[in-house]
Amino acid sequence: MNWIVKRSCLFLLVVLSQIQASDLPVFYRGTFMPAFHDRRQKDWTTTLAVRYGEGETRSAFKNNQRKSSLLNLYEPIDLLTLGHGIEDITSKTETNNFWGTGKPFAPGATRLEENDGRVGLLGKIKARELGVTIKQGIFSGFYAKAHVPIREVKIDEISTKNLGQADVNGVIIDDFVKNDLPKILRENGFEKFESFEKEHFKETLVSEFLIAAGWQGRGWGSFGPIDWVQGFVQAGVTVPVGGKKNEDKLSEIPLGYNDFWGFNGQVAVELGLWDILIFGVHAGATIFLNAERTIRMRTNKEQDGWIVLDKGRAKIENGTIWNVTGYLRGDRIIQGLSLVAGYSYTKQERTTLNLNDDKFLQTFVDAEFAKNPPRFASKDEIINTDKRYRNWDHHTVHLMAEYDTSVHIKSYAPFVRVEYSYPILGRRTLTTDMVAGTAGISVVWGF
């Protein structure tokens, strides 16, 4: 009976220290602190960490790293070029009325000032995330891990601002944006669009989850101020479950990696200094598989902004996401209290589009070739000028406080953390700062 009790006991409670919920970085918020190394390693230990964070903003970093209004991260909308190159434009009455041959915004239309016809798009985003990380130690430092982020994103309070003259080529811009542009958007597939004031987006889902395996180790020694070195290596897969972005919803953004499968790798090293300081470096990368989809793409090199009217089929080579974080931890400076300060750089490389649609842009290419002398236009070159598919990056400062009760309780020692992540600089990313709290527990199974 004693053997059964010992072997079937669900757990022997042990101290929990330095287990951190994982993170899958995205462009619309600052990154969270990465996963730490486990202070104590025991075989067959199960660890659960739950983190909740939220933040909101009305601003974004543009291409030049300057702050702008939320939906101007790809520059303001250029109305003069918005309809250039659209296939079968004569079959679209509302669109043809402004960008068709001889119309106010037809190719060749001029502007007196640089911002004439450019319209800024304003809005607010609120992001919430509940991240659940489960880690199962196996033997000799090997472990398996899963991370599931439950995300909610809300974009609303959208409005427009004319950045140029009120009248451009006989068109009153404010009247056009209010009365004509909604009809043009619906004509080009944004079927449920009514007005910018009524437009909003809200969704809650698990966009993808991470399953991974790794190895962690620790070495003791005396190398001047260095008391020990520890670290881990990990490899895994991000499995998409949330579906693709709706290309016909104007304000929608992907909450995660937009239904792309990815291969994720992480590595971290920590140095223990003078038995009170820990210096750590963490690096990670996610490489995505290619996919072929029907998406909205530019039809003119000069187009800018959030709105794209035409769609076509293309192979998407999604850019790799990678990040590097350095941090300094004051370990148990007062009882179980530890303080952490860190800095991270996160970047997604440029996404490349390869057109696989004979119809898309064909009228424009034929017209260029018919000129004297002939001009050769590359469809792939045009669609890849789209700033929405260029690389994005952000620099984030992290502050964290943790209290580990293992200094008081030896049989049962949960911990709690609070952290703040503030994006200080970036390109084509939102400036959403995040406040988060984490709680967790670790269990050693009595096998």
Side-chain angles (χ1 to χ4, degrees):
M1 183 65 179
N2 290 337
W3 182 88
I4 296 175
V5 171
K6 290 179 181 179
R7 292 297 184 261
S8 62
C9 182
L10 289 180
F11 51 80
L12 300 172
L13 294 172
V14 295
V15 295
L16 176 109
S17 179
Q18 295 198 16
I19 301 296
Q20 171 75 351
S22 297
D23 187 31
L24 297 175
V26 288
F27 81 98
Y28 58 80
R29 61 157 173 81
T31 55
F32 293 115
M33 282 291 292
F36 295 136
H37 183 91
D38 296 356
R39 181 194 299 274
R40 295 172 178 83
Q41 304 170 37
K42 289 184 178 293
D43 292 345
W44 308 110
T45 299
T46 301
T47 304
L48 172 67
V50 180
R51 177 183 58 221
Y52 172 78
E54 67 173 54
E56 64 178 53
T57 189
R58 295 178 180 271
S59 62
F61 293 114
K62 297 198 303 180
N63 179 59
N64 56 9
Q65 297 189 328
R66 294 181 179 178
K67 284 188 177 181
S68 183
S69 55
L70 186 78
L71 302 182
N72 279 354
L73 73 164
Y74 308 122
E75 305 298 332
I77 305 163
D78 185 359
L79 296 179
L80 265 65
T81 61
L82 182 61
H84 293 176
I86 291 179
E87 201 65 34
D88 298 327
I89 191 171
T90 55
S91 66
K92 301 177 178 180
T93 304
E94 302 293 341
T95 307
N96 192 58
N97 283 341
F98 292 91
W99 292 283
T101 303
K103 302 301 181 180
F105 299 154
T110 59
R111 58 183 107 214
L112 299 178
E113 298 180 4
E114 181 181 357
N115 283 329
D116 284 354
R118 301 187 192 275
V119 174
L121 206 54
L122 292 73
K124 182 180 77 172
I125 185 173
K126 184 167 186 177
R128 296 177 177 176
E129 184 165 323
L130 181 69
V132 180
T133 301
I134 300 174
K135 181 178 179 181
Q136 177 62 58
I138 306 174
F139 61 88
S140 301
F142 291 97
Y143 64 86
K145 190 175 185 180
H147 173 67
V148 181
I150 305 170
R151 291 166 166 162
E152 179 183 274
V153 171
K154 180 181 180 182
I155 298 177
D156 59 3
E157 299 185 23
I158 297 174
S159 60
T160 59
K161 181 180 180 181
N162 180 20
L163 303 178
Q165 297 184 83
D167 185 326
V168 178
N169 296 337
V171 177
I172 306 301
I173 297 299
D174 285 340
D175 288 345
F176 171 81
V177 171
K178 181 178 180 180
N179 301 312
D180 297 297
L181 189 53
K183 292 184 287 186
I184 291 167
L185 291 174
R186 290 194 295 270
E187 187 176 56
N188 286 276
F190 296 95
E191 297 175 356
K192 297 183 179 180
F193 186 87
E194 296 182 43
S195 67
F196 287 99
E197 291 73 21
K198 293 182 179 180
E199 178 67 11
H200 69 280
F201 167 68
K202 183 177 180 180
E203 191 165 25
T204 303
L205 52 77
V206 177
S207 52
E208 57 271 312
F209 61 85
L210 171 68
I211 52 175
W215 177 85
Q216 59 188 19
R218 181 180 178 121
W220 296 88
S222 181
F223 307 95
I226 301 175
D227 298 314
W228 44 258
V229 178
Q230 61 186 13
F232 70 84
V233 291
Q234 177 181 298
V237 178
T238 57
V239 181
V241 292
K244 297 184 287 291
K245 168 191 172 183
N246 183 355
E247 295 283 333
D248 298 331
K249 174 69 175 177
L250 183 71
S251 57
E252 181 164 332
I253 63 172
L255 271 61
Y257 299 151
N258 201 20
D259 210 42
F260 284 90
W261 285 80
F263 297 98
N264 177 272
Q266 299 182 39
V267 61
V269 176
E270 291 184 337
L271 304 178
L273 309 174
W274 300 293
D275 202 34
I276 191 172
L277 290 179
I278 297 174
F279 173 72
V281 177
H282 175 277
T286 302
I287 302 172
F288 299 98
L289 296 180
N290 300 335
E292 187 172 302
R293 298 178 184 174
T294 298
I295 57 174
R296 293 189 179 273
M297 296 178 287
R298 271 192 181 188
T299 52
N300 184 280
K301 290 182 181 180
E302 305 302 319
Q303 289 171 347
D304 268 328
W306 188 269
I307 300 175
V308 177
L309 295 182
D310 216 355
K311 289 190 292 186
R313 192 79 178 169
K315 177 184 176 183
I316 306 172
E317 298 178 7
N318 215 15
T320 298
I321 295 178
W322 56 270
N323 66 293
V324 178
T325 303
Y327 55 89
L328 188 64
R329 175 187 178 94
D331 195 43
R332 298 184 181 182
I333 56 177
I334 302 176
Q335 298 291 326
L337 177 65
S338 300
L339 300 178
V340 185
Y343 166 85
S344 66
Y345 176 71
T346 305
K347 178 177 182 176
Q348 180 168 20
E349 302 289 351
R350 182 177 189 145
T351 292
T352 301
L353 306 179
N354 296 285
L355 193 64
N356 191 16
D357 190 325
D358 293 336
K359 185 178 179 182
F360 189 84
L361 276 175
Q362 193 58 45
T363 300
F364 170 76
V365 170
D366 291 343
E368 290 293 290
F369 187 75
K371 292 179 179 179
N372 189 14
R375 298 180 182 178
F376 297 91
S378 168
K379 296 181 180 182
D380 283 345
E381 182 181 354
I382 293 172
I383 63 177
N384 280 290
T385 59
D386 196 333
K387 293 183 175 68
R388 297 176 305 140
Y389 296 104
R390 290 186 183 177
N391 59 286
W392 59 258
D393 61 63
H394 52 214
H395 304 251
T396 305
V397 171
H398 307 277
L399 298 174
M400 175 184 288
E402 173 196 80
Y403 199 89
D404 181 357
T405 63
S406 65
V407 296
H408 307 292
I409 308 171
K410 299 304 179 184
S411 61
Y412 183 83
F415 79 96
V416 292
R417 291 192 182 101
V418 292
E419 65 176 292
Y420 178 59
S421 299
Y422 180 72
I424 58 173
L425 202 63
R427 290 184 179 87
R428 289 176 287 276
T429 54
L430 305 187
T431 64
T432 314
D433 55 330
M434 300 293 288
V435 178
T438 303
I441 191 169
S442 189
V443 176
V444 175
W445 299 90
F447 297 133

